C-alpha cells in the first residue's frame, strides 16, 4: 500500500518551513516573519501562509519540537510596573490562578513604553507562554493596533492566547481575549455621588489624552455632568499621569493660581487622590470640610485617607485572564470579551455642599 507523502516508516513526517513557503508561494523568510508577528504582510499573503501552516500542520509540530525537554508550562503577564498597587494586585491574581492551573508565571514590565510592550510580547511568544496577558493603560494608535494584531495572530498559530486586561479590543477578527473594567460606569457613579451632594464645580484630576484608562474615566465624568445638566468646563480637567506626585502637582498648581474655584475633585486613581490630599493640607484646606473628593481603584492609600472611591476587582481580573486563556477550547475556540463591574465604596471624604 502506498504511503502518503506526509508519512514515513516511523510515522507522521514533520513538515518543514520550506514546504510551507512553497505551498503559500512566498519565501521562507516571509513565512518566518509572519509567524513571528514582525512582518507587515498583506491580508492575502497572511491568509495564504496561515492556510499552508494549517494544511501542513507545521505550527503544531514546530510547537511540539520547541517544547521538547521543557516540562514546565507557563503564562506571562506584561504590565507597566510592579510598584503600582493596581498592577501588583492584578499580577497577584494571575499568579494565584496560574498556580491553581499548574503553570509557572513569567512577569515583564514596560514602563508604559508601547515599543517595549511589543518587544515583550514577542519575547514571551518565543518562550512559548500559553497566554500573554497585557494589563492596563496603552496609547492605542493605529500603528500599535496593527502590530499588536500581528502578534495576536502569531500567538494563535502556536496555540497561545493574547489577553487584553483593562483595555479595549484591537479590532474585529483579532484573536484576543478581552477583559475590560467598566471605567466609564465607575466614573459616572463617582461623579454622580458628588453631584448629588450639591457640588457643581468638580475638578477632574488625571486627564491624559489617548490613554485608554484615563479616557474611559473622563468619559464617565462628562456623562454624569450631562445627566445632571451641569455645563462642561474644560478648564476643570487637569492633565497628569497616574502617580502620587502628579496628584500633588496638579492640585498645588491649581491652588497657586488663585482662590479655589471648585468645591470637589474626582481623582482618576487613589494615588492621585493621595497627592491631592497633601497639596490641599499644605494650603490649609481639609477634606471633606473644605473640598470633597472621590477616587478610583479602592487600593492604598484610600483606606488611610478614608476616601470614597470606586472599587475595581483587580485580583479577579488576573484570575479571569488566566482561566479564560487556558479554557479556550471549552469556549468552542472563541475569544471571550467580558466586562467586569465596579461599585462605589462610600467612606467619609464627601460632604453635602451648603447653599
Amino acid at each position: 500500500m502506498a504511503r502518503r507523502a506526509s508519512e514515513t516508516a516511523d510515522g507522521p513526517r514533520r513538515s518543514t518551513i520550506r514546504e510551507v513557503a512553497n505551498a503559500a508561494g512566498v519565501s521562507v523568510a516571509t513565512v518566518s516573519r509572519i509567524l513571528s508577528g514582525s512582518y507587515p504582510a498583506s491580508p492575502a499573503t497572511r491568509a495564504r501562509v496561515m492556510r499552508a501552516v494549517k494544511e501542513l500542520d507545521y505550527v503544531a509540530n514546530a510547537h511540539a519540537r520547541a517544547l521538547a525537554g521543557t516540562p514546565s508550562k507557563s503564562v506571562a503577564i506584561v504590565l507597566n510596573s510592579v510598584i503600582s498597587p493596581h498592577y501588583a494586585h492584578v499580577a497577584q491574581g494571575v499568579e494565584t490562578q496560574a498556580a491553581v492551573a499548574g503553570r509557572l508565571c513569567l512577569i515583564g514590565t514596560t514602563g508604559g513604553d508601547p515599543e517595549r510592550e511589543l518587544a515583550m510580547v514577542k519575547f514571551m511568544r518565543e518562550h512559548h507562554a500559553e497566554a500573554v496577558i497585557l494589563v492596563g493603560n496603552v496609547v492605542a494608535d493605529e500603528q500599535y493596533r496593527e502590530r499588536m494584531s500581528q502578534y495576536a495572530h502569531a500567538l494563535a498559530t502556536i496555540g497561545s492566547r493574547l489577553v487584553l486586561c483593562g483595555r479595549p479590543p484591537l479590532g474585529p477578527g483579532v484573536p484576543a481575549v478581552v477583559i475590560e473594567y467598566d471605567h466609564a460606569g465607575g466614573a459616572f457613579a463617582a461623579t454622580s455621588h458628588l453631584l448629588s451632594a450639591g457640588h457643581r464645580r468638580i475638578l477632574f484630576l488625571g486627564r491624559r489624552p489617548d490613554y485608554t484608562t484615563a479616557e474611559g474615566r473622563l468619559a464617565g465624568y462628562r456623562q454624569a455632568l450631562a445627566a445632571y445638566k451641569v455645563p462642561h468646563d474644560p478648564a476643570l480637567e487637569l492633565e497628569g499621569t497616574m502617580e502620587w506626585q502628579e496628584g500633588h502637582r496638579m492640585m498645588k498648581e491649581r491652588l497657586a493660581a488663585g482662590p479655589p474655584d471648585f468645591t470637589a475633585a474626582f481623582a482618576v486613581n487613589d494615588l492621585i487622590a493621595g497627592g491631592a490630599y497633601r497639596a490641599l493640607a499644605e494650603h490649609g484646606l481639609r477634606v471633606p470640610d473644605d473640598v470633597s473628593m472621590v477616587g478610583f481603584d479602592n487600593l492604598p492609600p484610600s483606606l488611610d485617607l478614608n476616601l470614597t472611591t470606586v472599587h475595581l476587582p483587580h485580583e479577579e481580573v488576573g484570575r479571569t485572564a488566566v482561566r479564560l486563556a487556558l479554557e479556550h477550547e471549552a469556549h468552542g475556540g472563541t475569544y471571550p470579551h467580558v466586562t467586569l463591574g465596579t461599585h462605589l465604596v462610600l467612606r467619609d471624604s464627601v460632604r453635602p455642599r451648603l447653599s
Side-chain angles (χ1 to χ4, degrees):
M1 182 176 178
R3 187 179 291 121
R4 290 185 299 170
S6 61
E7 293 181 342
T8 68
D10 297 322
R13 181 177 66 80
R14 291 174 177 171
S15 301
T16 67
I17 193 171
R18 187 171 299 280
E19 289 172 331
V20 172
N22 290 339
V26 298
S27 69
V28 169
T30 296
V31 174
S32 176
R33 289 169 182 164
I34 288 176
L35 293 181
S36 70
S38 61
Y39 187 65
S42 69
T45 300
R46 178 180 294 281
R48 290 204 311 275
V49 170
M50 302 318 310
R51 183 166 58 249
V53 163
K54 182 176 181 180
E55 290 174 352
L56 294 171
D57 198 26
Y58 172 73
V59 172
N61 287 329
H63 188 45
R65 289 197 300 274
L67 287 178
T70 309
S72 298
K73 295 183 177 181
S74 64
V75 298
I77 178 171
V78 180
L79 32 72
N80 286 13
S81 165
V82 292
I83 298 176
S84 163
H86 164 67
Y87 293 117
H89 280 72
V90 175
Q92 184 59 53
V94 169
E95 172 62 37
T96 298
Q97 191 63 34
V100 170
R103 267 67 170 182
L104 297 179
C105 188
L106 307 174
I107 297 179
T109 61
T110 67
D113 181 354
E115 289 298 320
R116 184 170 175 80
E117 180 176 271
L118 288 161
M120 194 69 69
V121 173
K122 184 174 183 290
F123 175 81
M124 296 303 186
R125 179 188 182 276
E126 291 168 352
H127 283 71
H128 304 282
E130 292 180 85
V132 179
I133 301 165
L134 307 182
V135 183
N137 254 324
V138 67
V139 181
D141 59 26
E142 191 58 38
Q143 182 181 12
Y144 170 88
R145 283 192 293 269
E146 172 61 26
R147 291 179 62 188
M148 190 58 77
S149 296
Q150 293 171 11
Y151 285 128
H153 284 284
L155 287 165
T157 64
I158 64 168
S160 182
R161 300 287 172 263
L162 181 68
V163 185
L164 308 175
C165 290
R167 58 177 69 181
L170 292 168
V174 178
V177 176
V178 179
I179 304 168
E180 292 192 85
Y181 302 123
D182 187 6
H183 292 298
F188 182 92
T191 307
S192 294
H193 182 60
L194 291 171
L195 290 163
S196 66
H199 298 280
R200 293 297 180 267
R201 298 283 295 173
I202 303 171
L203 283 182
F204 181 90
L205 301 175
R207 179 175 177 270
R208 200 174 184 196
D210 299 324
Y211 278 78
T212 53
T213 297
E215 287 204 332
R217 296 176 189 181
L218 179 60
Y221 163 84
R222 291 176 176 175
Q223 289 164 9
L225 294 177
Y228 278 77
K229 296 181 171 53
V230 174
H232 171 235
D233 183 355
L236 291 173
E237 298 173 0
L238 307 187
E239 189 167 330
T241 58
M242 292 189 168
E243 290 82 33
W244 186 98
Q245 294 85 348
E246 283 288 274
H248 184 263
R249 177 193 63 79
M250 285 184 279
M251 184 61 77
K252 187 173 182 178
E253 290 178 357
R254 185 72 177 200
L255 294 172
D261 60 346
F262 58 92
T263 63
F266 169 47
V268 162
N269 70 4
D270 296 339
L271 288 176
I272 288 177
Y277 257 74
R278 174 67 65 82
L280 287 166
E282 291 170 352
H283 204 76
L285 298 173
R286 296 171 298 171
V287 176
D289 298 333
D290 301 306
V291 176
S292 290
M293 187 176 295
V294 295
F296 208 115
D297 278 348
N298 196 28
L299 289 172
S302 63
L303 282 173
D304 293 335
L305 299 175
N306 206 15
L307 177 69
T308 291
T309 187
V310 178
H311 175 79
L312 283 185
H314 301 88
E315 292 194 30
E316 182 185 348
V317 166
R319 293 193 300 269
T320 301
V322 175
R323 190 178 70 254
L324 291 181
L326 298 183
E327 294 177 356
H328 179 71
E329 297 305 323
H331 296 281
T334 61
Y335 292 85
H337 181 171
V338 300
T339 300
L340 299 182
T342 61
H343 65 266
L344 194 63
V345 178
L346 298 177
R347 296 195 178 104
D348 193 27
S349 62
V350 175
R351 285 284 187 274
R353 183 170 180 269
L354 301 177
S355 301

